[in-house]
């Protein structure tokens, strides 16, 4: 499983917004604080707003705020919103082809084994929340 910069920026942006005590925060401020591309971040945050992770506000005092408590936002929901492809452990190119049928006749069960791992990974990503990521960040700061 390879997470892209979009996922990294989503996590960083959400932590930044969550640490703003419920007050909306604009993309300019977030991108400056995180030193990342404003246009790329804006696209990511808009995707998160579309799926209900964030609320967006227009106008002079516009910006983004969390739509839910951090403990109610799973890492999987974040990944699903920002990654263009479903986050997968293994992508068997042959699973929809006749070749896969032939491989299975020869005893291949790669897809079956990784399907189980995918299920366990999805369950784990559903259990880890934005609150967990925030707590980890706070622990790191206190250890410095």
């Amino acid at each position: 499983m390879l997470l892209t910069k979009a996922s990294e920026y989503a996590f960083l942006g959400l932590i930044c917004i969550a640490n703003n005590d419920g007050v909306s925060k604009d993309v300019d401020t977030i991108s400056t604080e995180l030193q990342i591309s404003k246009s790329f971040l804006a696209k990511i945050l808009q995707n998160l707003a579309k799926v209900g992770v964030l609320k967006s506000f227009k106008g002079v005092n516009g910006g983004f705020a969390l739509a839910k408590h951090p403990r109610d936002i799973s890492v999987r929901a974040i990944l699903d919103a920002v990654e263009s492809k479903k986050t997968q452990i293994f992508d068997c190119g042959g699973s929809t082809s006749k070749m896969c049928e032939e491989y299975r006749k020869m005893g291949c069960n790669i897809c079956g084994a990784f399907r189980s791992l995918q299920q366990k990974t999805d369950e784990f990503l559903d259990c880890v929340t934005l609150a967990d990521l925030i707590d980890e960040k706070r622990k790191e700061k206190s250890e410095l």
Side-chain angles (χ1 to χ4, degrees):
M1 173 184 344
L2 178 66
L3 301 181
T4 66
K5 283 287 184 195
S7 293
E8 178 185 351
Y9 291 176
F11 295 135
L12 292 171
L14 287 167
I15 290 168
C16 188
I17 292 167
N19 288 330
N20 209 37
D21 297 323
V23 178
S24 68
K25 198 164 194 174
D26 65 279
V27 177
D28 283 331
T29 303
I30 300 168
S31 67
T32 300
E33 285 180 17
L34 299 175
Q35 299 178 351
I36 58 179
S37 164
K38 177 185 163 187
S39 59
F40 189 38
L41 179 63
K43 180 181 172 189
I44 293 165
L45 297 181
Q46 288 163 356
N47 285 342
L48 290 164
K50 282 180 191 172
V51 299
V53 170
L54 291 175
K55 293 184 278 188
S56 66
F57 302 94
K58 296 181 184 199
V60 178
N61 295 321
F64 293 91
L66 295 181
K68 305 173 187 176
H69 191 280
R71 73 174 165 266
D72 297 324
I73 302 171
S74 73
V75 167
R76 185 173 176 197
I78 297 165
L79 293 175
D80 287 348
V82 300
E83 291 293 338
S84 57
K85 288 179 66 177
K86 183 183 180 320
T87 307
Q88 292 183 315
I89 299 294
F90 181 74
D91 185 13
C92 181
S95 63
T96 57
S97 72
K98 290 186 179 208
M99 187 60 82
C100 192
E101 286 178 39
E102 295 302 315
Y103 290 151
R104 273 194 231 139
K105 287 177 188 173
M106 294 185 289
C108 177
N109 191 28
I110 294 171
C111 291
F114 282 104
R115 203 172 298 122
S116 175
L117 178 58
Q118 183 69 53
Q119 182 179 2
K120 286 178 175 42
T121 302
D122 289 344
E123 289 168 4
F124 175 76
L125 294 174
D126 280 333
C127 291
V128 179
T129 67
L130 179 58
D132 296 323
L133 301 181
I134 293 166
D135 289 343
E136 278 301 312
K137 188 76 174 155
R138 286 186 182 138
K139 284 180 194 173
E140 286 177 14
K141 283 184 178 180
S142 69
E143 291 174 358
L144 295 177

